[in-house]
Amino acid sequence: MKKIFSLSLLFSVTAMLFTGCVSEEDDLFSTSAAERLMQSKKMYTERLGGTTWLMEFYPVNTDEAPKGNGYLILNQFRKDGSVVQAMQNDLSDGKYLTDTSLWEVISDQGTVLSFNSYNKCIHTFSDPGLYQTGQGYEGDYEFVILSLEEGAKYGMLKGKKRSTYNRLTRLPDDTDFEQYLQGIKDFTNMIFPSSAPNDCMMNIGDSTMVFTNASSGIASLYPLGGDAISETTDHAFTISQNDGKYYLRFREELAGKGDDKVQEFVYDEAADLFKSVDDENNRIQGPSAVWFFSDALSNGHKWMLSRSSEMSETMKTIFENMYNGFRKFGTGKYTLQNVQYSMIDDATSDSGKLKLDIAYRVSNSSAHLLVYYDLAFTDEGVTISNRQPQGNGQTVINGIAGIAEFLTATEGAFNASPGASAFNMNTVKLTSATDGNLSFALTFIN
């Protein structure tokens, strides 16, 4: 009897526990899937209506331009169901383009943001007649809403067909679309001009990578000291502006050694570099001006100084004195053209020395004053010493006013710094280590 009683009690307790679990699940799904979708539609419609957002849009998940590039599309969602979009990129021939169409939050395998009438901005990416006939850029115009919290700064969309992740960034409702996009274009052209002769560097933890091809919008990365062909990987990114700062964000996270990962950087104007938003020790920056100046010379490139070059007032006076000295010499048919620096690379005893070439014209003929120097590099800059005029160089120096003063001013120790930006070493600025008022910018010659 005791055993029967115990089993009966066990069954009763188990039944009570089972009944309790069923009750909890019923509470969790107290509304139907259709009702939850309707609530979600209403919620996201209210959150979007009357707000302005930037979309970082990726047509496809490849890293081949132009379909693999990231594009900026501005969106002003109106409460009446219309949306004003704007963009400025290759698909708009580099011009500002804006159009108005309809938008709606619908239920279709989830809660979906649909641009459901034709808009010249977003729907251009799905036009099969562009780029590759029959495919176009393959971009979506309907997006599953993955996240869009109330009052959030960011949201995340996923392309319904191509499964690309496209971030939304909330912008002030009074944002001037044309001014915003032009600002991005100007900043990008300044930081990553196609004419920049130098590559950049990226640090992720203990990993250092060469960062190239940034002007295309798809950066090529390979380990510093590694093979630029076999070890290169490509990564699409966008540049946006928010709260007065510029951001560079890759489509996917980038991994360094160990657990180090990065995706988004913010530009530090004072330091002239990008810092990771999560760890400022992870950076994208230009090379050292000293290193690039030395490397360019070693690889056969030249650096030029002319009347139009950036110079301090002290240096400008010295250069003008030399220019006028040529004009006044002899019959007045002498004209200074420019000054060029290069490295001597031959089998002679002068190999490795710096060559200064003062180019001038005598009537219709070209002439050159050549001066050799010993050259030494330090962490801060360069030291130019031991003047050695070539041929009849000393006679020219003695005969034309201003040359000796110029040569004296450009000898000694100089600190090297980027002329405009470390991301663009088209110019390198040399400043006297003993006289801060004496400086001049040399222009890179390919």
Side-chain angles (χ1 to χ4, degrees), residues 18 80 86 115 118 149 189 211 219 293 365 404:
F18 180 75
D80 64 1
F115 297 98
Y118 185 80
E149 299 301 321
N189 289 340
F211 182 98
F293 183 62
S365 300

Side-chain angles (χ1 to χ4, degrees), residues 88 94-95 180-190:
Q88 186 174 357
K95 301 175 182 177
Y180 180 93
L181 293 171
Q182 186 61 47
I184 297 293
K185 181 179 179 180
D186 292 343
F187 175 80
T188 304
N189 289 340
M190 178 186 71

Side-chain angles (χ1 to χ4, degrees), residues 26 77 313:
D26 285 343
F77 295 98
E313 289 302 317

